Amino acid sequence: MPANRSIGRIALGMSGGVDSAVSAALLMRAGYEVLGVTCRFHDDAASACAASDAAAVCASLGIEHVVRDCVDAFERLVVQPFVSSYARGLTPSPCVGCNALCKVPALLTAASEHGCDRIATGHYARIVRLEASGRFAVKTALDVRKDQSYMLALLAQDQLVRLVLPLGGMTKVDVRFTAADLGLPVAEKPESQDVCFIEGDYRDFLCERGIADEPGAIVDRAGNVLGRHDGLSNFTVGQRKGIGIAAPAPYYVVEKRAAARELVVGFAEEAQVAAVRVGSVNWQAVERPAAAREAFVKLRYRSRAVPCIIEPEGSEGARIVLRSPQPTTAPGQYAVLYEGDTVLGGGMIEEVEQA
């Protein structure tokens, strides 16, 4: 396709889907010499199919394509922490850590090996350099329904400085239209699943990895025994259905106590969070604040950002106090802090303070 004079060589993560395919076309249009990089994180038929689709896109666009074997790194940095987190009663969000610890580093390595100045992905978000501080930060995407700024909150400055996100100003409809207009072979390919290494029920996956669920008591917040459960991994904090306890009003899961094998439940007014503690915050748009400051926070990927106060704690952590109680979240999820549409920083929730 027509392109401007080359402005540099860039390594683009090619998943075999429509987002990375359109990203490649947009980068070429902007004047980049694009290298398509498919990182194989799984040694299975689905991964091989994705690599084949990515190769077909690259051939269609006339760009170079390489495949990197990242199976061992993905197992060590993403899958094993996911399994061990569930064993400790947490509710992990593996994609956030994967971007910072596995996917972006793999792209940066490929870029260095193939003479690329920059890297790119098909995430729906934007990268900006702040004029006042010179720091790099993630901003939300134009398409709020597809916004993935939350997923990039752990990226460090040396990663952000080299990252390009071509889809930040587009909607998903625009992306599909562009793919069809260019005749890309993946124009109608369905969306990928949220957790790429799990097919079917995550509980079956945990069982295969040796996480044997043990039964225990279902208790209220006062410690009164209300029933029995078959295993803590069958439940998620905030869950309302499927608890199996008859009551005048629905019970919600408010806590999982792994050491005691207790599932703690409460009514709606008890399933609220007042504050969370994050052990280590990755700061993006700002340096670590020396004093409390106002902000907004997302406590889960799909939740809305709500007003909060950031209270720095220790050398790296923070207590995030919510301006009003919110539906409870779980240790293992991420608190991502915003100022307007800009990510201030984020980190894993280690402790939840119920309202």
Side-chain angles (χ1 to χ4, degrees):
M1 63 184 296
N4 300 325
R5 184 173 58 85
S6 176
I7 58 174
R9 186 165 161 84
I10 191 166
L12 167 67
M14 297 287 292
S15 65
V18 66
D19 292 334
S20 57
V22 171
S23 294
L26 294 176
L27 290 168
M28 293 174 67
R29 186 177 296 169
Y32 284 103
E33 180 186 348
V34 181
L35 169 71
V37 180
T38 298
C39 296
R40 287 196 63 175
F41 298 113
H42 324 286
D43 189 12
D44 56 17
S47 183
C49 182
S52 177
D53 286 346
V57 169
C58 290
S60 174
L61 293 172
I63 62 176
E64 184 182 354
H65 177 245
V66 297
V67 178
R68 290 188 58 82
D69 182 353
C70 301
V71 174
D72 291 343
F74 187 79
E75 171 70 22
R76 183 179 72 257
L77 297 169
V78 181
V79 179
Q80 290 179 6
F82 175 87
V83 173
S84 63
S85 291
Y86 262 108
R88 291 183 286 126
L90 305 179
T91 304
S93 182
C95 300
V96 181
C98 178
N99 284 318
L101 299 175
C102 193
K103 289 185 178 180
V104 169
L107 273 180
L108 288 170
T109 299
S112 297
E113 292 175 350
H114 293 273
C116 298
D117 306 309
R118 310 193 73 180
I119 64 170
T121 70
H123 286 98
Y124 286 81
R126 296 170 289 161
I127 305 294
V128 296
R129 186 173 191 181
L130 304 173
E131 186 175 347
S133 64
R135 293 178 67 87
F136 289 84
V138 176
K139 280 183 174 282
T140 57
L142 174 66
D143 189 342
V144 294
R145 294 169 300 177
K146 292 295 296 179
D147 174 51
Q148 294 175 305
S149 58
Y150 179 98
M151 293 296 182
L152 304 178
L154 297 192
L155 296 187
Q157 292 295 301
D158 60 347
Q159 296 173 323
L160 294 172
V161 69
R162 297 182 66 186
L163 179 61
V164 178
L165 302 177
L167 304 186
M170 299 181 71
T171 67
K172 187 70 178 190
V173 172
D174 293 334
V175 168
R176 291 283 186 192
F177 180 84
T178 301
D181 187 54
L182 292 170
L184 296 177
V186 294
E188 300 299 326
K189 188 173 181 177
E191 296 282 336
S192 59
Q193 59 188 21
D194 287 339
V195 181
C196 66
F197 56 90
I198 297 178
E199 293 184 9
D201 197 315
Y202 74 95
R203 290 165 290 196
D204 294 335
F205 175 82
L206 293 173
C207 185
E208 293 171 1
R209 288 304 185 105
I211 304 301
D213 260 338
E214 297 186 47
I218 301 176
V219 301
D220 61 21
R221 291 178 65 178
N224 299 307
V225 177
L226 304 175
R228 302 284 295 176
H229 66 80
D230 293 331
L232 292 179
S233 69
N234 295 311
F235 301 90
T236 300
V237 173
Q239 176 179 331
R240 181 175 69 87
K241 297 182 179 180
I243 297 173
I245 302 295
Y251 276 116
Y252 293 76
V253 175
V254 298
E255 186 182 354
K256 296 194 293 185
R257 296 172 180 164
R261 300 200 301 274
E262 289 181 341
L263 183 73
V264 185
V265 299
F267 296 119
E269 62 273 14
E270 298 173 287
Q272 300 281 308
V273 60
V276 299
R277 279 190 160 87
V278 177
S280 179
V281 180
N282 175 65
W283 296 102
Q284 280 189 357
V286 296
E287 299 279 358
R288 173 179 166 80
R293 64 168 291 170
E294 301 274 351
F296 284 76
V297 63
K298 280 189 176 184
L299 298 177
R300 292 181 185 269
Y301 175 37
R302 295 299 184 188
S303 68
R304 64 186 180 91
V306 297
C308 70
I309 301 172
I310 306 169
E311 297 179 348
E313 287 189 335
S315 60
E316 298 181 340
R319 180 171 179 256
I320 313 300
V321 182
L322 304 174
R323 281 296 192 181
S324 61
Q326 298 297 318
T328 193
T329 189
Q333 295 291 298
Y334 287 84
V336 176
L337 300 158
Y338 291 82
E339 184 173 76
D341 61 357
T342 304
V343 174
L344 297 178
M348 185 185 294
I349 298 169
E350 295 186 350
E351 182 181 340
V352 174
E353 298 179 21
Q354 301 294 341

